[in-house]
Amino acid sequence: MIVVMKAGATAAEIGAVVSRVEAIGLNPHPIVGTERTVVAVVGDERPVDPESFQVMAGVEKVMIVLHPFKLASRDTKSENTVISLNGTQIGGPRLVLMAGPCSVEDRQQLMETAFAVKEAGATILRGGAYKPRTSPYSFQGLGLKGLELLAEAREATGLRIVTEVMTPEAVPLVSQYADILQLGARNMQNYGLLHAVGEAQKPVLLKRGMMSTVEELLMSAEYILSHGNYRVMLCERGIRTFERYTRNTFDLSAVPVLKQLSHLPVIADPSHGTGRWELVASMSKAAVAAGADGLIIEVHPHPEQAVSDGAQSLKPEKFAALVTELRRVAQAVDRTL
Ligand code: PEP
Ligand code: MN
């Protein structure tokens, strides 16, 4: 249920609604918009009588949100969420580019990639220090050393850092180094981790599980939002289908669907979405045309030597050429880059 306050509702009137929600054992989430405040009411609403809120001072109307995701829903908040990150805005008119290697391998690889993607126009550097690998015998990441190298790259380039956190226990440590916490596809329904990043003071990039529906993705986002961390980005990274020509089936339609259902920024990952570097440029352009707020793309100076995901990694010069093309696509859909 959401309680929509009148445009001129006073702080005291909003406070009275919040207190009443608490008094009946539910959780109020006041969302301040440019015109009015709405108080989203979450918890088990079954015994609540909407009429009892309707009559309160300053209340315009009470609406029932039919979707199971409440705080993530556009019914609750019609304006796009814009996440500010040291000068970079995610979800605003300007598209955001996140780029870098799948895994942080060593200083030389990371620095070379970081300077190249920055030069091309990226503002956020990606790189895994903790890697969720299908096989326990594959490279598992450099761990703390990887985080330290990412921090060094941020210092040297001014790029912000997005990197994956795999366990609730690691959230405090990874938060010390990362600007954005990445939750990987394999962990989209790791509820302990969703609670933990909900409590963290960092934006979260939540990747869609490889066998998860759009609604399940939004319900996972809801866990994070329900803890009061509203800085969540949704990431389409491809789902598993019967098709084997591509690594995953990049669900391009999920981009406009998510934009329609939710106010949260949507980031597309055409690297994992296709698994093949030759397809990354087309799918990047398609994602921007479809309304994505940004892209996360794997870039490696020597893809043939990459310890993970070399087949889907762009060389820096290919990435730079793609950014030039993306600027034209962005313009066509009234965005900038
Ligand atoms: C990654 O970003 O390198 C990664 C492991 O992604 P996903 O969780 O989407 O597989
Ligand atoms: Mn990868």
Side-chain angles (χ1 to χ4, degrees), residues 102 126 131-132 164 182 184-186 207 237 272 298:
C102 179
R126 65 146 290 145
K131 296 302 301 177
E164 180 158 354
Q182 176 175 327
R186 292 158 188 78
K207 300 190 88 176
R237 49 77 72 205
H272 293 87
E298 288 187 339

Side-chain angles (χ1 to χ4, degrees), residues 99-101 103-120 125-127 142 145-159 161 299-302 316:
S103 301
V104 178
E105 297 172 10
D106 55 57
R107 178 178 286 108
Q108 164 67 23
Q109 171 244 22
L110 188 65
M111 291 297 170
E112 191 178 335
T113 315
F115 278 106
V117 299
K118 184 191 166 141
E119 173 76 19
L125 176 66
R126 65 146 290 145
L142 295 181
K145 179 77 199 150
L147 294 178
E148 287 167 354
L149 289 173
L150 286 165
E152 210 178 303
R154 168 174 50 208
E155 196 61 39
T157 60
L159 292 168
I161 302 298
V299 178
H300 195 292
H302 308 287

